[in-house]
């Protein structure tokens, strides 16, 4: 007899897309009006047995009004989206009108801003129709966002602070359902996100020397508020860390540059049950990149790069039971004509 689990499988998937856009604007002293339409045709074809060819028509139309007066800027916009898939057993068409409001005030290097937006993310063709992964029952992900923040941008120093709150209906998440090697796209009924984001950087030059740094830190709580009667009510959404951050330092001298990057991800759960056995530990990686540019007499530019990824040989898992590579090296040479 034949073991079905060991049958040879060599499936092929082909995707392509065509995109077109048209836009126009009318500007006055304090008011600017803009209208635009984007249209995308895309398809997914496969030789999987009994699978159907599918193509999508996606159109987005935007009407925007921007009022500017003495550092104050107010933006009102309406976005209409129409997405229709054409195939056997296709997902329901999507027609939605979503608003956006943005206000900001600039005074010298300082900007105070806030916005409210109602937006959504439609499932991709892969999310809906990819074999064993996609589901035609998948719903669009709708998000209501509130954000308030402050920016400072000086000659050498810049930083930003943002506080935000999001309500996400039918959040699309990929999780292993039947086994670790077969992931599926599913909806969470209601996810609420509360977060704080800090970012900043410093750059300067001293003759042939240069320095550029950028740092980011995010504290974000993503919890499931779908059903108060469920035991998972208010549990953390899988693979959503509370803390994450990054640091990039780029040193330059003449045609040399040395860049180091630090990436950190905090603890997170692999499943919505939030059991201790499903808790993944925090991890970090340090990468180094040395770059040199050579300009030849014939005008050609040669760029040589040596990289060391995961310098500290960190042993970690981004996804449970899928260990990431340890320390590894890479060298590249690029020619510019």
């Amino acid at each position: 007899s034949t073991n079905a689990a060991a049958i040879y499988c060599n499936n092929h998937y082909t995707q392509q897309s065509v995109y077109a856009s048209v836009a126009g604007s009318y500007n006055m002293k304090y008011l600017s009006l803009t209208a635009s339409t984007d249209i995308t045709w895309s398809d997914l074809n496969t030789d999987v047995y009994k699978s159907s060819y599918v193509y999508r028509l996606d159109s987005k139309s935007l009407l925007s009004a921007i009022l500017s007066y003495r550092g104050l800027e107010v933006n009102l916009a309406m976005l209409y989206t129409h997405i229709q898939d054409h195939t056997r057993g296709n997902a329901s068409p999507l027609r939605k009108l979503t608003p956006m409001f943005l206000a900001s005030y600039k005074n010298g290097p300082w900007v105070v801003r806030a916005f409210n937006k109602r937006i959504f993310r439609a499932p991709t063709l892969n999310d809906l129709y990819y074999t064993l992964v996609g589901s035609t029952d998948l719903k669009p992900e709708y998000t209501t966002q509130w954000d308030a923040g402050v920016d400072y941008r000086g000659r050498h120093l810049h930083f930003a602070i943002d506080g935000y709150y999001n309500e996400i209906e039918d959040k699309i998440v990929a999780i292993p359902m039947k086994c670790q090697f077969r992931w599926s796209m599913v909806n969470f009924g209601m996810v609420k996100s509360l977060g704080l984001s800090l970012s900043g950087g410093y750059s300067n030059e001293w003759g042939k020397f240069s320095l550029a740094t950028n740092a980011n830190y995010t504290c974000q709580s993503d919890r499931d508020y779908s059903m108060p009667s469920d035991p998972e009510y208010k549990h953390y959404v899988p693979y959503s860390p509370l803390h994450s951050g990054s640091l990039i330092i780029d040193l330059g001298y003449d045609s040399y540059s040395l860049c180091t990057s630090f990436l950190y991800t905090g603890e997170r759960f692999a499943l919505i049950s939030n059991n201790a056995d499903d808790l993944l530990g925090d991890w970090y990686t340090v990468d180094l990149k040395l770059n040199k540019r050579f300009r030849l007499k014939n005008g050609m530019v040669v760029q040589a790069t040596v990289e060391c990824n995961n310098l500290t040989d960190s042993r970690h898992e981004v996804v449970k039971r899928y260990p990431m590579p340890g320390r590894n090296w890479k060298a590249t040479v690029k020619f510019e004509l």
Side-chain angles (χ1 to χ4, degrees), residues 13 25 57 60 67 87 95 114 135 145 168 182 205 231 244 249 272-273 286 292 303 308 310 324 330 335:
Y13 295 84
S25 64
L57 290 175
K60 294 180 173 63
L67 175 66
T87 186
R95 302 180 183 89
S135 170
Q145 300 175 315
I168 309 170
R182 182 175 295 177
E205 295 183 1
S244 61
I249 302 175
I272 190 62
S273 56
V286 179
K292 165 66 176 175
Q303 182 171 286
C308 179
N310 196 358
M324 298 301 292
K330 179 181 179 181
F335 296 90

Side-chain angles (χ1 to χ4, degrees), residues 88-204:
R88 184 180 62 188
N90 56 291
S92 301
L94 174 64
R95 302 180 183 89
K96 197 68 178 179
L97 185 66
T98 51
M100 183 196 73
F101 171 79
L102 170 67
S104 65
Y105 179 74
K106 178 177 175 59
N107 186 3
W110 294 91
V111 177
V112 180
R113 51 187 166 69
F115 74 81
N116 172 245
K117 181 187 296 186
R118 173 70 172 171
I119 197 64
F120 65 92
R121 179 168 75 90
T124 65
L125 293 179
N126 284 357
D127 293 340
L128 294 168
Y129 306 108
Y130 201 86
T131 306
L132 302 177
V133 176
S135 170
T136 55
D137 295 326
L138 204 63
K139 301 176 183 178
E141 176 183 303
Y142 292 93
T143 303
T144 303
Q145 300 175 315
W146 290 269
D147 183 285
V150 177
D151 290 347
Y152 174 84
R153 185 166 293 276
R155 182 179 178 184
H156 302 293
L157 177 67
H158 66 88
F159 65 84
I161 302 174
D162 279 270
Y164 54 91
Y165 173 72
N166 302 330
E167 289 186 355
I168 309 170
E169 302 169 39
D170 296 318
K171 181 177 178 65
I172 299 174
V173 179
I175 59 175
M177 296 293 288
K178 297 180 181 179
C179 70
Q180 186 65 26
F181 301 98
R182 182 175 295 177
W183 288 51
S184 301
M185 309 304 297
V186 298
N187 290 114
F188 282 93
M190 171 65 78
V191 174
K192 296 183 180 180
S193 298
L194 181 65
L196 175 68
S197 175
L198 306 175
S199 64
Y202 177 83
S203 61
N204 207 343

Side-chain angles (χ1 to χ4, degrees), residues 10-24:
N10 185 22
N11 297 327
H12 299 84
Y13 295 84
T14 303
Q15 291 183 271
Q16 55 190 346
S17 62
V18 178
Y19 170 80
S21 177
V22 60

Side-chain angles (χ1 to χ4, degrees), residues 9-291:
C9 180
N10 185 22
N11 297 327
H12 299 84
Y13 295 84
T14 303
Q15 291 183 271
Q16 55 190 346
S17 62
V18 178
Y19 170 80
S21 177
V22 60
S25 64
Y26 179 75
N27 300 316
M28 293 175 280
K29 185 176 181 179
Y30 300 115
L31 181 65
S32 175
L33 302 176
T34 302
S36 64
T37 297
D38 299 339
I39 300 176
T40 303
W41 176 92
S42 55
D43 74 345
L44 173 65
N45 195 16
T46 177
D47 56 8
V48 177
Y49 180 62
K50 289 187 177 181
S51 292
S52 300
Y53 171 78
V54 56
Y55 72 91
R56 167 176 291 186
L57 290 175
D58 180 351
S59 67
K60 294 180 173 63
S61 299
L62 177 70
L63 182 62
S64 173
I66 301 177
L67 175 66
S68 302
Y69 181 74
R70 293 187 177 180
L72 176 66
E73 184 173 292
V74 178
N75 185 1
L76 297 172
M78 296 295 293
L79 175 67
Y80 176 73
T81 301
H82 183 195
I83 298 176
Q84 175 70 66
D85 295 342
H86 299 265
T87 186
R88 184 180 62 188
N90 56 291
S92 301
L94 174 64
R95 302 180 183 89
K96 197 68 178 179
L97 185 66
T98 51
M100 183 196 73
F101 171 79
L102 170 67
S104 65
Y105 179 74
K106 178 177 175 59
N107 186 3
W110 294 91
V111 177
V112 180
R113 51 187 166 69
F115 74 81
N116 172 245
K117 181 187 296 186
R118 173 70 172 171
I119 197 64
F120 65 92
R121 179 168 75 90
T124 65
L125 293 179
N126 284 357
D127 293 340
L128 294 168
Y129 306 108
Y130 201 86
T131 306
L132 302 177
V133 176
S135 170
T136 55
D137 295 326
L138 204 63
K139 301 176 183 178
E141 176 183 303
Y142 292 93
T143 303
T144 303
Q145 300 175 315
W146 290 269
D147 183 285
V150 177
D151 290 347
Y152 174 84
R153 185 166 293 276
R155 182 179 178 184
H156 302 293
L157 177 67
H158 66 88
F159 65 84
I161 302 174
D162 279 270
Y164 54 91
Y165 173 72
N166 302 330
E167 289 186 355
I168 309 170
E169 302 169 39
D170 296 318
K171 181 177 178 65
I172 299 174
V173 179
I175 59 175
M177 296 293 288
K178 297 180 181 179
C179 70
Q180 186 65 26
F181 301 98
R182 182 175 295 177
W183 288 51
S184 301
M185 309 304 297
V186 298
N187 290 114
F188 282 93
M190 171 65 78
V191 174
K192 296 183 180 180
S193 298
L194 181 65
L196 175 68
S197 175
L198 306 175
S199 64
Y202 177 83
S203 61
N204 207 343
E205 295 183 1
W206 304 270
K208 292 185 177 182
F209 289 93
S210 65
L211 170 66
T213 63
N214 279 284
N216 294 274
Y217 167 75
T218 299
C219 178
Q220 179 173 312
S221 173
D222 297 326
R223 294 176 181 263
D224 181 18
Y225 283 80
S226 302
M227 294 290 290
S229 58
D230 286 350
E232 293 85 9
Y233 183 67
K234 291 187 179 182
H235 280 200
Y236 287 102
V237 174
Y239 296 103
S240 297
L242 181 63
H243 303 284
S244 61
S246 65
L247 173 64
I248 299 175
I249 302 175
D250 195 338
L251 295 171
Y253 174 75
D254 198 14
S255 58
Y256 291 88
S257 69
L258 176 64
C259 179
T260 179
S261 61
F262 172 85
L263 179 65
Y264 171 80
T265 298
E267 294 181 336
R268 65 266 183 238
F269 290 97
L271 297 175
I272 190 62
S273 56
N274 284 189
N275 294 325
D277 293 339
D278 298 318
L279 182 64
L280 297 177
D282 58 351
W283 60 269
Y284 71 90
T285 58
V286 179
D287 301 330
L288 280 178
K289 180 188 293 186
L290 177 63
N291 182 76

